[in-house]
């Protein structure tokens, strides 16, 4: 059993998350049922204020830090977009300054969204993992709080979506979940175990960013030289041991999907649900479609 936190811990942070957003819906779409021949539930984390599950994480991490250590001078992190939007939103609510380091060539739409929420953007580094190291240096120089992409309290906030999902759909056979740095998948695994459910959790990576799959299969950290996927929320080439340990214990397999399979899943979700998913958001459906073909 994976015990990053308790059920009581999770219930305690729900009111904090509710300051930012209401519960998101989980729909069983008729056209997906007709297409696949069984119930397919979509948890609509695209309906958060930033269009991603990460909306839940930063406010929990930062508030927990404030309670333990006082208010920081400012907050900083590296991001491809969703983590950064979460930080900027939390900073605005908590009255803090947010600085975000993004890699060169980052999605301009994500950059605009972070700036619109009031964050300062620093564009530096050829990919996320280099930007993360730059952010750590800037954090020391400015004495800002470095907000990590993965931490117990980050997963605690994220896991509120898993609690919502399993409360509304407790009899799911399998849940496919995209993996960037691992907070979403680790949240699902932890909550499943807390609720003593039998649901299989299947993490999903892009074939162009396969570091977590390689690491899971090898039983140790395996890095890759690049992570060039259009599904930028999955663009990781340096897995974190804390996340990998949970994935190894809580997931029997990790599935990889191609860029074309992700793009096809984006089209399917738009056709069958009238929702436009970003690449990482569509990866779970891409994995489901791939598994049915094999």
């Amino acid at each position: 059993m994976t015990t990053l936190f308790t059920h009581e811990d999770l219930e305690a942070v729900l009111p904090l998350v509710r300051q930012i957003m209401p519960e998101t819906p989980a729909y069983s779409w008729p056209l997906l049922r007709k297409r696949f021949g069984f119930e397919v539930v979509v948890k609509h984390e695209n309906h958060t204020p930033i269009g991603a599950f990460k909306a839940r994480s930063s406010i929990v991490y930062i508030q927990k830090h404030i309670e333990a250590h006082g208010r920081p001078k400012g907050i900083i992190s590296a991001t491809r977009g969703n983590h950064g939007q979460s930080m900027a939103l939390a900073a605005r609510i908590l009255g803090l300054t947010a600085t975000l380091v993004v890699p060169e060539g980052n999605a301009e739409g994500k950059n605009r969204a972070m700036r619109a929420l009031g964050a300062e953007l620093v564009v530096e580094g050829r990919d996320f993992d280099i930007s993360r190291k730059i952010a750590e240096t800037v954090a020391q120089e400015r004495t800002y709080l470095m907000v990590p992409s993965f931490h117990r309290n980050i997963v605690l906030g994220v896991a509120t979506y898993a609690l919502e999902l399993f409360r509304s759909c407790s009899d799911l056979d399998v849940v496919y979940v995209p993996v960037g740095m691992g907070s979403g998948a680790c949240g699902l695994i932890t909550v499943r175990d807390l609720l003593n459910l039998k649901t299989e959790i299947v993490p999903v990576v892009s074939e162009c960013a396969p570091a977590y799959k390689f690491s899971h299969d090898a039983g140790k950290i395996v890095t890759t030289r690049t992570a060039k996927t259009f599904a930028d929320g999955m663009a990781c080439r340096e897995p974190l041991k804390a996340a990998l340990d949970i994935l190894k214990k809580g997931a029997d397999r990790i599935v990889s999907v191609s860029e074309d399979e992700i793009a096809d899943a984006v089209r399917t979700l738009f056709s069958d649900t009238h929702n436009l998913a970003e690449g990482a958001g569509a990866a779970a459906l891409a994995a489901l479609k791939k598994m049915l073909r094999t």
Side-chain angles (χ1 to χ4, degrees):
M1 182 172 179
T2 304
T3 53
L4 264 182
F5 44 79
T6 67
H7 196 159
E8 291 73 20
D9 293 331
L10 196 53
E11 295 284 358
V13 300
L14 268 175
L16 188 58
V17 173
R18 291 291 177 261
Q19 291 184 30
I20 284 182
M21 54 174 286
E23 179 173 343
T24 58
Y27 293 138
S28 174
W29 289 91
L31 286 175
L32 290 177
R33 182 172 63 248
K34 183 176 180 180
R35 181 185 294 270
F36 293 109
F38 50 79
E39 296 289 329
V40 179
V41 174
V42 178
K43 177 64 166 165
H44 283 282
E45 291 296 282
N46 59 313
H47 292 184
T48 75
I50 65 170
F53 75 100
K54 282 285 190 178
R56 305 167 179 271
S57 62
S58 294
I59 193 165
V60 173
Y61 180 89
I62 297 166
Q63 183 60 38
K64 291 281 187 183
H65 176 89
I66 290 172
E67 291 169 2
H69 306 289
R71 290 175 61 84
K73 180 180 176 182
I75 59 174
I76 187 169
S77 192
T79 183
R80 291 296 302 266
N82 292 341
H83 176 56
Q85 290 180 79
S86 171
M87 279 185 55
L89 180 60
R92 188 170 68 178
I93 290 172
L94 297 171
L96 295 167
T97 297
T99 299
L100 302 166
V101 183
V102 301
E104 297 157 4
N106 197 51
E108 187 52 40
K110 294 289 179 70
N111 290 353
R112 290 198 307 271
M114 288 182 278
R115 288 190 175 107
L117 286 165
E120 172 198 358
L121 242 61
V122 176
V123 181
E124 192 171 350
R126 66 176 174 83
D127 62 21
F128 167 78
D129 295 284
I130 293 174
S131 295
R132 183 175 60 192
K133 292 179 175 62
I134 293 168
E136 290 169 351
T137 299
V138 176
Q140 292 180 344
E141 293 171 351
R142 298 187 183 182
T143 62
Y144 279 10
L145 170 64
M146 176 72 184
V147 180
S149 300
F150 189 92
H151 181 275
R152 180 258 190 195
N153 290 335
I154 292 286
V155 180
L156 179 60
V158 165
T160 57
Y161 94 85
L163 183 64
E164 293 171 5
L165 175 63
F166 288 132
R167 277 180 171 170
S168 62
C169 308
S170 62
D171 58 348
L172 296 170
D173 294 312
V174 183
V175 175
Y176 291 93
V177 54
V179 174
M181 296 307 293
S183 63
C186 291
L188 276 163
I189 289 169
T190 303
V191 176
R192 176 202 61 188
D193 292 349
L194 288 174
L195 299 178
N196 294 313
L197 300 178
K198 301 300 183 183
T199 306
E200 181 186 8
I201 308 299
V202 181
V204 182
V205 300
S206 166
E207 289 180 355
C208 295
Y212 266 105
K213 177 171 172 55
F214 288 172
S215 300
H216 184 274
D217 293 349
K220 61 181 182 180
I221 295 292
V222 177
T223 62
T224 57
R225 295 186 66 182
T226 62
K228 294 182 179 179
T229 171
F230 83 90
D232 50 18
M234 304 164 72
C236 168
R237 61 180 179 81
E238 295 184 3
L240 299 172
K241 185 179 185 301
L244 180 63
D245 287 346
I246 294 171
L247 297 183
K248 285 192 299 181
K249 292 178 183 177
D252 292 334
R253 58 195 170 112
I254 292 182
V255 174
S256 62
V257 290
S258 70
E259 301 290 278
D260 287 345
E261 287 168 335
I262 295 171
D264 180 63
V266 171
R267 292 189 288 269
T268 296
L269 284 167
F270 186 73
S271 170
D272 291 5
T273 77
H274 291 185
N275 280 263
L276 185 58
E278 62 179 65
L285 188 69
L288 171 61
K289 296 179 78 172
K290 182 173 185 175
M291 291 302 99
L292 293 177
R293 292 196 301 269
T294 58

